[in-house]
Amino acid sequence: MSGAPFTDRPPVTATPAATAGQDGPGTVVVVEPMSAGEALVKAATDLGFEVVVASFDAEDRTLSPSVRRAGTVVRVDTNDDRALDDAVLTAVAGRRVAAVLPGFEFYVPAAARLAARLGRPTLPVRAAEACRDKELMRGAVAAAGLRVPRHAVAVTAAELAAAADHVGFPCVVKPTRSAGSVHVTRADTLADLRAAHRRMVDDPRRDLGRALDGRVLVEEYIAGPEVSAEGYVTDGRSTVVAVTRKMLGPEPFFVETGHLVPADLPAPARAEIDRYVAAVTAALGVTTGPFHCELRLAGGGDPVLIELGARLPGDHIVDLVEAVTGVSLPRAAVALAAGLDADVAVRAPQAKHAGIRFFTAPGLASYSSVRGLDAVGREPGVWDVAVAVAPGEPIAPPEDFRCRLGHVLFVADSAAEAEQRWHHLGEQVRFD
């Protein structure tokens, strides 16, 4: 990354408490490392662990070359629980497994189940399932006396109408088990709600090999800014390392077009987020490991749960957090799972503020050329710029993460400068 505010750290060999006194630190298993899951693999190798990666390694679960080089790849359909368990247990036979970690949100329950079978510290499997199913999540958090949006689950047309009567309009409809803002839609009328559900049911696309089942959560629309709390739980205690401001595209969809770290919040608001997130993790039974907790700040700034993922944040948020706080969330995740001191994840911060802007091209089905990338790369504070969709490739509709064509990462000296730079950098790149 050109102009990066920090450089890759050299490997640090450490011995987990569980294997102290034995040769080598052991093996870390990562299930389907996508997005920030790739950073988990690098963190594990930097800390001196052997790595076993379980992956389908094809289609949209194809591993990057750097992940393939990092360790042993076990090719298996990671969406088949029995096949995954058998393949991983066979691959690690005779190894001292230090940790099992999910490389993407869909695999949080699978990693918890495998870690439990291998006798490693992990989330309770029940908590992992609650963090994957938005209905279970809402129920557990509401039962603890915390505010969540009014909500109801629906599959049929009659259930949609009943849910709308309970929730009211405007409302938000979303799959109960998905990610990346896929088919998350605001509805202002029953016709809107039915149309959004029909689009989801008729969508043949799969995400990491998984189709949607038509089961949706219909919930109260919470007006207010959106943020996410990034952190981890250790010994049952929640630590919010940073709060991220979410930059969203136009409704009725909720495309995340960028992130700014840290969110510009007054101290009382930040303290209330810390308190609320600690209560949410406790309600869900999240006893260890990283979390990415998305919130809306309603009314006077009261946090309301959108969802909590018991995994690392994606979208390069881990890079933004490390630049601003000095805390490597991937290293923290590996360290906590392997019984290491979390201090191995900390270094001096390198920037006051950091952000990412995603490039989109609403209205285009594809593009033939792009303008402004080189100029953006020379802008002050820019430390990475990339395009992931090639000319001529189809551009997805501007409805979820799949419409994003590339990104620019940058640093700034203030929240105001970071927001200004976010707007400015996005305006410089044009797809034709």
Side-chain angles (χ1 to χ4, degrees):
M1 296 180 292
S2 62
F6 56 91
T7 56
D8 288 343
R9 289 181 274 191
V12 177
T13 301
T15 303
T19 60
Q22 302 180 49
D23 293 336
T27 299
V28 169
V29 178
V30 182
V31 180
E32 210 62 88
M34 300 285 132
S35 186
E38 294 190 16
L40 279 176
V41 173
K42 184 177 186 306
T45 57
D46 283 354
L47 289 168
F49 292 98
E50 294 181 328
V51 176
V52 169
V53 170
S55 175
F56 187 59
D57 198 17
E59 300 169 357
D60 62 348
R61 284 178 281 171
T62 299
L63 296 175
S64 69
S66 63
V67 168
R68 286 201 197 97
R69 291 192 299 267
T72 301
V73 176
V74 177
R75 289 178 172 83
V76 60
D77 185 355
T78 46
N79 295 333
D80 181 330
D81 288 346
R82 177 173 292 181
L84 174 63
D85 287 5
D86 289 347
V88 170
L89 293 173
T90 298
V92 301
R95 299 178 187 239
R96 288 179 291 104
V97 175
V100 182
L101 295 164
F104 191 79
E105 180 170 331
F106 294 167
Y107 305 99
V108 169
R113 184 183 65 249
L114 275 165
R117 290 189 65 175
L118 290 164
R120 302 310 307 142
T122 185
L123 285 177
V125 174
R126 187 172 182 177
E129 288 290 349
C131 290
R132 278 292 301 129
D133 187 297
K134 294 177 177 62
E135 180 186 17
L136 296 176
M137 185 186 302
R138 293 284 185 277
V141 175
L146 302 171
R147 181 180 174 183
V148 299
R150 289 190 309 278
H151 60 279
V153 170
V155 176
T156 67
E159 290 169 343
L160 284 175
D165 286 342
H166 173 66
V167 172
F169 291 105
C171 66
V172 176
V173 58
K174 61 182 66 173
T176 57
R177 297 175 71 93
S178 190
S181 302
V182 171
H183 285 293
V184 180
T185 310
R186 172 175 165 155
D188 294 328
T189 66
L190 183 57
D192 290 345
L193 181 59
R194 286 173 170 162
H197 186 257
R198 175 49 54 192
R199 284 196 302 273
M200 184 189 73
V201 171
D202 291 345
D203 189 347
R205 294 175 295 176
R206 292 173 176 261
D207 192 6
L208 299 193
R210 300 188 178 208
L212 298 173
D213 61 4
R215 184 168 172 263
V216 295
L217 193 72
V218 180
E219 67 180 19
E220 172 189 9
Y221 175 84
I222 304 294
E226 189 164 320
V227 300
S228 60
E230 329 299 349
Y232 53 82
V233 178
T234 179
D235 297 327
R237 297 190 306 274
S238 166
T239 298
V240 176
V241 176
V243 177
T244 302
R245 177 183 172 186
K246 320 294 280 186
M247 310 297 280
L248 302 177
E251 296 179 2
F253 307 109
F254 297 86
V255 180
E256 294 182 354
T257 54
H259 310 286
L260 301 177
V261 178
D264 188 19
L265 297 169
R270 169 59 196 266
E272 181 58 19
I273 288 172
D274 288 4
R275 184 203 65 77
Y276 180 85
V277 170
V280 167
T281 57
L284 291 172
V286 177
T287 53
T288 187
F291 61 76
H292 169 68
C293 185
E294 297 183 350
L295 310 164
R296 277 282 171 117
L297 303 182
D302 294 334
V304 181
L305 180 68
I306 301 300
E307 63 182 68
L308 182 140
R311 42 81 179 177
L312 294 174
D315 285 357
H316 290 280
I317 292 175
V318 292
D319 298 319
L320 307 182
V321 169
E322 184 172 4
V324 170
T325 69
V327 176
S328 167
L329 291 172
R331 285 189 175 216
V334 174
L336 293 173
L340 299 179
D341 193 313
D343 286 349
V344 300
V346 181
R347 63 171 293 177
Q350 302 296 304
K352 294 179 180 178
H353 293 261
I356 184 169
R357 172 69 187 253
F358 293 104
F359 304 132
T360 59
L364 290 185
S366 65
Y367 76 95
S368 58
S369 64
V370 57
R371 293 174 286 143
L373 279 180
D374 290 342
V376 162
R378 294 190 296 269
E379 289 269 356
V382 167
W383 52 278
D384 185 49
V385 60
V387 171
V389 176
E393 290 186 0
I395 298 175
E399 299 173 358
D400 57 55
F401 79 99
R402 291 173 287 202
C403 75
R404 303 186 308 202
L405 308 181
H407 67 261
V408 54
L409 292 101
F410 59 90
V411 296
D413 287 330
S414 69
E417 182 186 4
E419 181 174 358
Q420 184 277 332
R421 192 162 285 177
W422 182 89
H423 287 285
H424 169 73
L425 292 171
E427 293 162 0
Q428 305 311 301
V429 177
R430 289 290 179 268
F431 294 85
D432 301 307

